[in-house]
Amino acid sequence: MIQPNLPDSKLPRVVIVGGGFAGINLAKSLRKAAVQVVLLDRNNYHLFQPLLYQVATAGLEPDSIAFPLRGIFKKQKNFHFRMAEVKSVDAANNLLETNIGDIPYDYLVLAMGSNTNFFGNKMIEEHAIGMKSLIEAVQIRNYVLKQFEESLLFTDEATVKPKLSFVMVGAGPTGVELAGAFAELRKYILPKDYPELPIHLMEVYLIEAGPRVLAGMSEETSRKSKAALEHIGVKVLTNIAVKDYDGLTLTLSNGETLQTQSLIWSAGVKGMSIPGLPEEAMLPNGRVQVNDTNLIKDTNNIYAIGDIAQMINDERFPKGYPMVAQVAMQQGKQLGKNFCNVLKGKALKPFKYKDLGSMATIGRNRAVTEFAGIRLSGYIAWVAWMVVHLLNLLGFRNKLVVMINWVYRYFTYDRGTRIIIKRGAANIVKLRQTIYQADPQVPQITQTP
Amino acid sequence: MIQPNLPDSKLPRVVIVGGGFAGINLAKSLRKAAVQVVLLDRNNYHLFQPLLYQVATAGLEPDSIAFPLRGIFKKQKNFHFRMAEVKSVDAANNLLETNIGDIPYDYLVLAMGSNTNFFGNKMIEEHAIGMKSLIEAVQIRNYVLKQFEESLLFTDEATVKPKLSFVMVGAGPTGVELAGAFAELRKYILPKDYPELPIHLMEVYLIEAGPRVLAGMSEETSRKSKAALEHIGVKVLTNIAVKDYDGLTLTLSNGETLQTQSLIWSAGVKGMSIPGLPEEAMLPNGRVQVNDTNLIKDTNNIYAIGDIAQMINDERFPKGYPMVAQVAMQQGKQLGKNFCNVLKGKALKPFKYKDLGSMATIGRNRAVTEFAGIRLSGYIAWVAWMVVHLLNLLGFRNKLVVMINWVYRYFTYDRGTRIIIKRGAANIVKLRQTIYQADPQVPQITQTP
């Protein structure tokens, strides 16, 4: 019979759901605490999401931005990991229901992060592809490379153009960085790899419903970023929303249409809440309402940190903190400290967000960063971007492999990992099927008879 | 309409099927020849098969042993690549039928290599897994790691033992190297990653129907290898064949049974021939009969090189040359030279195999090599093994990444890539399904309406 088989302990048990930035920082900060730490995740690795777009565009191998969770905590005695799907919370009985059995907790911390938000547009949800998981990024790489290969097999523009048109929706960091990487593919890879391809047919679009790209940053930075993107050949459409998409024809809010077989959706995320939480705490955006110590509304021992937590205690962020890695890391650490305070009988400290600024890279030698009012752009910003990301990447091996890929790419203009590990799916609907077939919601455990 | 769209050329067209060691060496050696070189492969990369076993055992990232075919030949003007499935040969009309349309050829060269040979045992074919492709290796990694994770969820030995028992069948280099790597996982990774696992329940078996391991090498080397494997805890069973396997119970020729959920089959390979070749040339082992210039029997312009070609012109190899990389590389180069000879009106030179010896690694610091009568074993052999493999690996980036992984592993005893990119399949039958669903035989190309 399947059961979590967690070791008995007299210490209070803190169950953390999700091994992202929030979850691992919390678990680490409980290293010395007199608690039993139980981390659950559907995957066995921590994913460094900021570099997902480089996996999707054949710049990095998937393994280099994933770090085995057991590896991170192998020295932490009070830590226990289980690979599991969380189903729901039984708050009344302090039980977490999962596909590997019920797990009793003293403190429960939800850190499941966020998922792609299609804002209820079923047509787009069915035909577009999001980029939040490693398998999605790998499948996008397979799919994009396959579009290039297939483009050689047709002579009529009407067929080739949609295969070579790549549309990012949403001009946040992900959309901007993806668009920049696609522009680089066109400039440096295609002419060498596909001399026979009508390169002029390849288009890279970045579509943003709002007035500017990188809306989280300053007007000036937005302007510079847009200019930089257009300079490398990205068609940036602002104040234009996507109305509909059938897998080939993309209809825009201004009535115009685009023909594309590749629509990558980075226009929004939503919290990944689970059943069993108090009605009042569940918000329409999938996040849960927490107080300034990350305690979920109307609960006394269930917390939420990172993307999934909506905390409003800062006039700079009236709608809650942005769903970014910085907030997740800081909330994880802070909650860890607070658990230690509780155990020592001390008072809890409310969360204060230290905004360390933000950055985005726009293709080779170009990035924008903002930190404490200081705005950098161009080469210096690009170097800063690389340093910051390398430092934050977990694991010495991963750091080295990523650095080598970057150095190699810098000098050769090449992208080493442009391989189709499985031949990509035939179309974007099949692509989504492969992903979800590959990553099913149902538990998949066999017990021998 | 789907068509190969190969550029017209007055030069004779050499169509090469397969981008393995034989195919790429042939294509390279035609670099300066007055021919149009067309390379077809179902994948867009060249796979360095000798290191597949390290991908399967979380030692290397898949991307590090795969090199994009277009990258290899980007400077070769007369080279054209198409990703395609070959269906059959229409020898009468010099046409190759593929899923991207018919391709006319002046010379056709078959270099499709070999695939796992289950010797017609349907039960084993259904429940065991081979290791010839990158997707198979990745899936084996996912599956093995999942067995470890799942073993924590059960308390009764009857359930846990089969999940922790890993059986290799066939003690050639692949079986030996796999068994060694599994023994290393048990020794260095499991105790750190899974302190709660009853490590003593993990068993690694190497089963060989013949009298000795590494039968291709000397008696002495076989003896040493067997001793080394047993020293690191591999149970080596020789003179024992596998009779049956239902996914859990493995029945041996001596009547004994083993309980295992992981049976990796490396007991044999067979040529991957295609329909349309002369009856007399097709051999029961899937190989095709060629003369000493690799011309297929009863044809005048169809050649076969590498694993698929059975050439008998050397008394050392009365049943044809072994299906190894060395033979494939040398035949590819030789045939290239011969094509150049033909174009210059010179006579063809018959193939002569230079046996460069063979080597196998048996876990950390242990390997065996034989070259020109010189036999090495232990540490020196292990270093030699690494140098030879690094030198033969294509691409500077790949060499660096692989080296870093090895250096890292040497000093940390760690295996960096033990991530489950997709949660592995529930059982070995589903595993095979995932692989074949992921890598279907049917063409998968969408044409926009």
Side-chain angles (χ1 to χ4, degrees):
Chain A
M1 180 243 181
I2 298 166
Q3 52 201 31
N5 289 335
L6 291 159
D8 296 328
S9 162
K10 301 215 166 19
L11 301 172
R13 174 182 290 167
V14 179
V15 176
I16 306 167
V17 185
F21 288 114
I24 63 170
N25 278 282
L26 169 57
K28 279 181 183 173
S29 60
L30 293 172
R31 175 168 71 259
K32 298 202 179 77
V35 294
Q36 183 188 52
V37 179
V38 175
L39 178 64
L40 306 176
D41 197 294
R42 60 222 300 264
N43 294 313
N44 74 328
Y45 54 84
H46 166 73
L47 177 65
F48 191 72
Q49 286 201 10
L51 290 178
L52 258 187
Y53 83 97
Q54 294 204 7
V55 171
T57 51
L60 287 175
E61 40 270 274
D63 310 50
S64 64
I65 65 165
F67 198 87
L69 285 162
R70 293 188 180 277
I72 301 171
F73 296 99
K74 60 173 177 251
K75 294 208 173 73
Q76 188 166 330
K77 289 277 162 293
N78 66 351
F79 174 88
H80 305 278
F81 174 73
R82 290 293 181 271
M83 202 166 129
E85 295 276 352
V86 169
K87 291 178 183 163
S88 64
V89 185
D90 174 357
N93 301 306
N94 291 337
L95 270 186
L96 183 65
E97 287 152 5
T98 80
N99 69 324
I100 63 168
D102 294 354
I103 301 178
Y105 60 83
D106 299 295
Y107 301 95
L108 175 63
V109 183
L110 304 181
M112 291 92 86
S114 56
N115 206 343
T116 309
N117 189 355
F118 294 98
F119 303 104
N121 185 326
K122 286 271 158 269
M123 273 297 273
I124 292 174
E125 179 158 7
E126 187 187 334
H127 294 95
I129 162 101
M131 199 187 61
K132 289 289 289 179
S133 71
L134 196 56
I135 185 77
E136 281 174 318
V138 172
Q139 293 293 357
I140 289 173
R141 178 180 77 180
N142 291 342
Y143 183 75
V144 168
L145 293 170
K146 190 134 185 293
Q147 297 307 308
F148 294 147
E149 292 295 335
E150 289 181 6
S151 299
L152 291 169
L153 308 179
F154 301 95
T155 42
D156 56 318
E157 272 200 23
T159 306
V160 176
K161 218 167 178 318
K163 289 184 182 295
L164 294 179
S165 297
F166 301 92
V167 180
M168 321 313 134
V169 181
T174 303
V176 166
E177 291 177 326
L178 263 176
F182 272 102
E184 284 202 322
L185 277 176
R186 173 173 55 188
K187 186 168 177 189
Y188 301 116
I189 301 301
L190 263 62
K192 275 187 294 184
D193 268 11
Y194 303 89
E196 306 150 55
L197 261 192
I199 206 77
H200 65 278
L201 290 184
M202 178 171 174
E203 303 273 19
V204 181
Y205 292 91
L206 179 61
I207 301 178
E208 168 59 44
R212 54 197 186 95
V213 304
L214 298 174
M217 301 173 87
S218 69
E219 292 270 5
E220 181 200 3
T221 303
S222 293
R223 210 168 43 248
K224 281 185 174 167
S225 309
K226 185 162 186 283
L229 284 164
E230 284 165 342
H231 176 78
I232 56 176
V234 176
K235 296 198 169 161
V236 184
L237 313 179
T238 48
N239 292 312
I240 290 179
V242 165
K243 277 179 68 181
D244 205 357
Y245 179 56
D246 63 6
L248 176 63
T249 304
L250 178 66
T251 313
L252 304 173
S253 55
N254 62 4
E256 288 174 19
T257 63
L258 290 173
Q259 301 284 301
T260 176
Q261 283 182 244
S262 306
L263 183 69
I264 302 179
W265 188 264
S266 58
V269 288
K270 57 170 190 282
M272 297 213 291
S273 186
I274 50 169
L277 298 172
E279 283 292 326
E280 297 64 32
M282 314 264 254
L283 302 170
N285 60 6
R287 299 176 92 176
V288 292
Q289 193 71 59
V290 299
N291 71 8
D292 60 7
T293 59
N294 287 99
L295 182 68
I296 294 178
K297 194 166 181 235
D298 298 343
T299 72
N300 51 19
N301 61 346
I302 309 181
Y303 297 78
I305 52 178
D307 286 4
I308 192 181
Q310 179 149 308
M311 181 194 295
I312 298 171
N313 70 331
D314 186 329
E315 62 287 341
R316 290 173 300 173
F317 306 100
K319 296 208 233 69
Y321 294 105
M323 292 155 96
V324 298
Q326 274 305 325
V327 174
M329 292 176 176
Q330 293 177 31
Q331 287 188 342
K333 286 180 191 144
Q334 178 66 45
L335 183 57
K337 289 202 194 99
N338 275 333
F339 276 132
C340 297
N341 289 334
V342 171
L343 296 169
K344 294 179 196 137
K346 289 190 197 156
L348 300 185
K349 265 184 64 186
F351 175 73
K352 276 205 170 40
Y353 177 46
K354 271 184 248 43
D355 190 347
L356 297 178
S358 53
M359 41 182 35
T361 181
I362 308 162
R364 185 182 177 83
N365 296 353
R366 278 198 197 75
V368 290
T369 70
E370 289 184 356
F371 165 62
I374 303 158
R375 296 171 191 165
L376 299 176
S377 63
Y379 186 78
I380 313 147
W382 183 67
V383 173
W385 181 92
M386 287 194 293
V387 172
V388 167
H389 282 73
L390 269 185
L391 291 179
N392 281 287
L393 191 59
L394 278 178
F396 180 66
R397 191 197 70 92
N398 296 25
K399 282 184 171 69
L400 267 176
V401 171
V402 168
M403 199 172 68
I404 276 167
N405 277 284
W406 286 352
V407 172
Y408 171 84
R409 201 189 318 162
Y410 184 77
F411 288 108
T412 62
Y413 294 79
D414 198 4
R415 284 171 173 262
T417 66
R418 51 192 193 283
I419 67 169
I420 305 176
I421 286 196
K422 336 184 278 185
R423 273 157 304 155
N427 60 48
I428 204 138
V429 177
K430 284 218 189 72
L431 176 65
R432 291 180 54 81
Q433 287 165 357
T434 355
I435 292 172
Y436 296 119
Q437 184 276 347
D439 194 9
Q441 294 309 305
V442 290
Q444 269 200 331
I445 297 170
T446 40
Q447 176 160 12
T448 55
Chain B
M1 180 245 182
I2 298 166
Q3 52 200 30
N5 289 333
L6 291 160
D8 297 328
S9 162
K10 299 209 169 25
L11 301 172
R13 175 182 290 168
V14 179
V15 175
I16 306 166
V17 185
F21 288 114
I24 63 169
N25 277 283
L26 169 57
K28 279 181 182 173
S29 61
L30 292 173
R31 158 171 88 262
K32 298 202 176 77
V35 294
Q36 183 188 51
V37 179
V38 175
L39 177 65
L40 306 176
D41 196 293
R42 60 221 301 264
N43 294 312
N44 74 329
Y45 55 84
H46 166 75
L47 176 64
F48 191 72
Q49 286 202 9
L51 290 178
L52 258 188
Y53 83 97
Q54 294 206 5
V55 171
T57 51
L60 288 174
E61 40 271 273
D63 310 51
S64 65
I65 64 164
F67 198 88
L69 285 162
R70 293 187 180 279
I72 302 171
F73 295 99
K74 60 173 178 256
K75 294 209 172 74
Q76 188 166 329
K77 289 276 163 290
N78 67 350
F79 175 88
H80 305 276
F81 174 74
R82 291 294 182 270
M83 200 165 130
E85 295 277 351
V86 169
K87 291 179 184 164
S88 65
V89 185
D90 174 358
N93 301 306
N94 291 336
L95 269 185
L96 183 65
E97 287 152 4
T98 80
N99 69 324
I100 62 168
D102 293 354
I103 300 178
Y105 59 84
D106 298 294
Y107 300 95
L108 175 63
V109 182
L110 304 181
M112 291 92 88
S114 56
N115 207 344
T116 308
N117 189 356
F118 293 97
F119 303 105
N121 185 326
K122 286 271 159 267
M123 274 297 273
I124 293 175
E125 178 157 8
E126 186 187 337
H127 294 96
I129 162 102
M131 201 187 60
K132 289 288 288 179
S133 71
L134 195 56
I135 186 75
E136 281 175 318
V138 172
Q139 293 293 356
I140 288 173
R141 178 181 77 180
N142 290 341
Y143 182 75
V144 168
L145 292 170
K146 189 131 189 294
Q147 297 306 308
F148 294 147
E149 292 296 334
E150 289 182 7
S151 298
L152 291 169
L153 308 178
F154 301 94
T155 43
D156 55 318
E157 275 201 20
T159 306
V160 176
K161 217 167 179 316
K163 290 184 182 295
L164 293 179
S165 297
F166 301 93
V167 181
M168 313 330 124
V169 181
T174 303
V176 166
E177 290 177 326
L178 262 176
F182 272 102
E184 284 202 321
L185 277 175
R186 172 173 56 189
K187 186 168 178 188
Y188 300 117
I189 300 301
L190 263 63
K192 276 187 294 185
D193 269 11
Y194 301 89
E196 306 150 57
L197 262 192
I199 208 75
H200 65 278
L201 291 183
M202 178 171 174
E203 302 275 19
V204 181
Y205 292 92
L206 178 61
I207 301 178
E208 167 59 45
R212 53 194 185 97
V213 304
L214 298 175
M217 299 174 87
S218 67
E219 292 270 3
E220 180 200 4
T221 303
S222 294
R223 210 168 43 250
K224 281 185 173 165
S225 309
K226 184 162 186 282
L229 284 164
E230 284 165 342
H231 176 77
I232 57 176
V234 176
K235 297 199 168 159
V236 183
L237 312 180
T238 48
N239 292 313
I240 290 180
V242 165
K243 277 179 67 180
D244 204 358
Y245 180 56
D246 63 4
L248 177 63
T249 304
L250 177 66
T251 312
L252 303 174
S253 54
N254 63 3
E256 288 174 19
T257 63
L258 290 173
Q259 300 284 301
T260 177
Q261 284 184 242
S262 308
L263 183 70
I264 303 179
W265 188 264
S266 57
V269 288
K270 57 171 190 279
M272 298 214 291
S273 187
I274 49 168
L277 297 173
E279 284 291 325
E280 297 65 29
M282 315 265 254
L283 302 170
N285 61 5
R287 299 175 91 177
V288 292
Q289 194 72 60
V290 299
N291 69 10
D292 59 7
T293 59
N294 288 99
L295 181 68
I296 294 179
K297 194 168 183 237
D298 298 342
T299 71
N300 51 20
N301 62 347
I302 309 181
Y303 297 78
I305 52 179
D307 285 4
I308 193 181
Q310 178 149 309
M311 181 193 295
I312 299 171
N313 70 331
D314 185 330
E315 62 286 341
R316 290 174 301 173
F317 305 101
K319 295 209 231 73
Y321 293 106
M323 292 155 97
V324 297
Q326 273 308 323
V327 174
M329 292 176 175
Q330 292 177 32
Q331 287 188 341
K333 286 179 191 148
Q334 178 66 45
L335 183 58
K337 288 203 193 98
N338 274 335
F339 276 133
C340 298
N341 289 336
V342 171
L343 296 169
K344 294 179 196 137
K346 290 189 197 158
L348 299 185
K349 264 184 66 187
F351 175 74
K352 276 204 171 40
Y353 177 46
K354 271 182 246 48
D355 190 345
L356 297 177
S358 54
M359 43 182 34
T361 181
I362 308 162
R364 184 182 179 82
N365 296 354
R366 278 198 197 74
V368 289
T369 69
E370 290 184 355
F371 165 63
I374 303 158
R375 295 172 192 165
L376 298 176
S377 65
Y379 187 77
I380 313 149
W382 183 67
V383 173
W385 181 92
M386 287 194 293
V387 172
V388 168
H389 282 74
L390 270 185
L391 291 179
N392 282 287
L393 191 59
L394 276 178
F396 179 67
R397 191 197 71 92
N398 295 25
K399 282 186 171 70
L400 267 176
V401 170
V402 168
M403 198 172 69
I404 276 168
N405 277 285
W406 286 351
V407 172
Y408 172 84
R409 201 190 317 164
Y410 184 76
F411 288 107
T412 63
Y413 295 78
D414 198 3
R415 288 175 170 258
T417 65
R418 52 191 193 282
I419 66 169
I420 305 176
I421 286 197
K422 335 185 279 182
R423 272 158 304 155
N427 59 49
I428 204 136
V429 178
K430 282 217 190 73
L431 177 64
R432 291 179 55 81
Q433 287 163 358
T434 350
I435 292 172
Y436 297 119
Q437 183 276 345
D439 195 9
Q441 293 310 305
V442 290
Q444 270 198 332
I445 297 169
T446 40
Q447 177 159 11
T448 55

